[in-house]
Amino acid sequence: ICGEEEWCNIPNVTLDDPDRENLINIELSVEHGRLSFLGADTPPLVRLSNKGTRVGDSFQLSGTSQDINSILQSLAYLGAIGSNGVVDAIHLIAWSERKKKKNAV
């Protein structure tokens, strides 16, 4: 549970790639707050699209599952101003380049 206007770490978010694809894509989004990767260095092989910022309501990441899992360990959420009591959800969709198929999580 996160307090209003307080960054909260989101632990234990990982991506498993049973097919061992080389390149995985994920989209993360929230409706009422902000996401960030606090204190994380982006692994060299991860492409993080959000106009060069590390805070936003949505992100798309591309890389190996190992590199994506590395940056997901620093995932954090900030509730919107005045959102005390509002329920929010983090949406995560993952797909591989080879299959071009999105699987919602």
Side-chain angles (χ1 to χ4, degrees):
I1 298 177
C2 296
E4 183 179 352
E5 301 177 47
E6 173 187 355
W7 282 106
C8 293
N9 290 327
I10 308 297
N12 304 319
V13 177
T14 59
L15 178 69
D16 184 28
D17 179 20
D19 297 329
R20 304 294 182 244
E21 300 286 337
N22 287 329
L23 187 61
I24 301 295
N25 299 287
I26 69 168
E27 292 176 358
L28 293 162
S29 63
V30 292
E31 293 179 25
H32 304 289
R34 308 289 275 169
L35 295 172
S36 183
F37 301 99
L38 296 178
D41 292 327
T42 304
L45 299 178
V46 172
R47 181 177 48 86
L48 176 65
S49 66
N50 194 24
K51 299 179 183 161
T53 67
R54 297 178 74 75
V55 177
D57 57 3
S58 65
F59 286 95
Q60 185 176 59
L61 292 87
S62 297
T64 66
S65 60
Q66 181 179 1
D67 287 336
I68 288 175
N69 283 333
S70 175
I71 196 169
L72 286 176
Q73 295 309 301
S74 64
L75 181 62
Y77 171 81
L78 174 69
I81 295 173
S83 66
N84 196 14
V86 173
V87 175
D88 204 349
I90 297 174
H91 305 276
L92 186 149
I93 299 172
W95 72 98
S96 68
E97 281 296 306
R98 186 172 61 145
K99 293 184 181 176
K100 299 280 187 188
K101 177 176 136 185
K102 293 185 178 184
N103 295 308
V105 177

